[in-house]
Amino acid sequence: KASVMLATTCVMGMTVQMLQSLGIVGSIPVDWPSELSTIFDAMKVLLLDLDSLGFSCVAGSAPSRYASSGLFFPVAALMLVGLGVATQGLPQRLSRWKWQRAQTLNTIGQFFQVGFTTMSNVGLVPFMCYSHPTGSSSVQKYNAVLCGESEHVSMATVGALVVALGVSFLIAAMTLVFLVPTEAAKGNVQFLQSCRF
């Protein structure tokens, strides 16, 4: 039987994924009706489109803006792991604030599950180029970045890291699908709690 917390988490996760999908549809270069364009533009925030937030004034060049979006996922995952480890050193009187390993792993899994669509979208940005009549090509989202130039190589490196992280999560999730029945039969509650996402 699902708890209220589990049901709420599932609903919120599905809502975020649906809104992310709307943002991706809105990024397709089509002349959308103005009503839809407004909705799509608002959903770009969930795709970590920092340009839609006016972040370009602060971040500067296209590669640094892209790196800020792309490195969000590995940095956030490392921060969750770091918080989980850091709370283990809390004194006994603060033990209720210690993160349990199973819940920490579940939180990381939930983060990647909800962020998978955005992570895939962000990771593939540097690999979407369009051709110019002169024979050169540019990154579709960042017109000033020519494909194959040094700026593009740095963006592609970050993009490859993000895509590899997404594929790693997908492989881990598929592996868990095969392991869960065996661990459930053994009564391994810690394992089951760590992969509830």
Side-chain angles (χ1 to χ4, degrees):
K1 183 176 178 181
S3 67
V4 173
M5 182 61 147
L6 179 60
T8 304
T9 303
C10 289
V11 168
M12 292 302 291
M14 288 188 289
T15 302
V16 168
Q17 288 175 336
M18 188 239 350
L19 295 175
Q20 289 170 339
S21 297
L22 280 175
I24 289 173
V25 169
S27 67
I28 298 171
V30 172
D31 289 331
W32 298 103
S34 61
E35 296 82 10
L36 279 177
S37 293
T38 304
I39 294 170
F40 290 150
D41 288 343
M43 297 307 114
K44 286 184 180 177
V45 172
L46 294 173
L47 297 177
L48 295 179
D49 185 356
L50 301 179
D51 295 329
S52 68
L53 297 174
F55 190 70
S56 56
C57 299
V58 178
S61 67
S64 60
R65 290 193 315 265
Y66 177 73
S68 298
S69 294
L71 294 176
F72 170 78
F73 295 100
V75 168
L78 289 174
M79 285 177 59
L80 286 170
V81 170
L83 282 170
V85 170
T87 61
Q88 299 310 306
L90 291 174
Q92 186 63 30
R93 69 180 196 282
L94 298 174
S95 63
R96 67 184 176 123
W97 295 101
K98 287 185 181 182
W99 288 19
Q100 302 301 315
R101 182 172 184 252
Q103 284 80 4
T104 302
L105 291 172
N106 185 55
T107 300
I108 293 168
Q110 183 71 32
F111 169 74
F112 280 119
Q113 182 182 5
V114 170
F116 184 78
T117 304
T118 299
M119 191 172 14
S120 301
N121 187 54
V122 169
L124 293 173
V125 163
F127 303 108
M128 293 186 245
C129 296
Y130 68 93
S131 298
H132 295 284
T134 61
S136 62
S137 57
S138 293
V139 175
Q140 182 177 356
K141 185 171 179 177
Y142 302 102
N143 300 340
V145 177
L146 296 175
C147 296
E149 298 291 321
S150 62
E151 287 183 324
H152 179 250
V153 171
S154 65
M155 290 172 70
T157 303
V158 172
L161 171 70
V162 173
V163 169
L165 190 62
V167 170
S168 298
F169 168 72
L170 200 57
I171 291 169
M174 287 189 289
T175 303
L176 290 173
V177 167
F178 291 106
L179 294 177
V180 164
T182 306
E183 296 301 320
K186 292 179 188 177
N188 188 346
V189 176
Q190 289 289 340
F191 181 84
L192 296 175
Q193 286 179 341
S194 68
C195 57
R196 279 186 3 189
F197 59 90

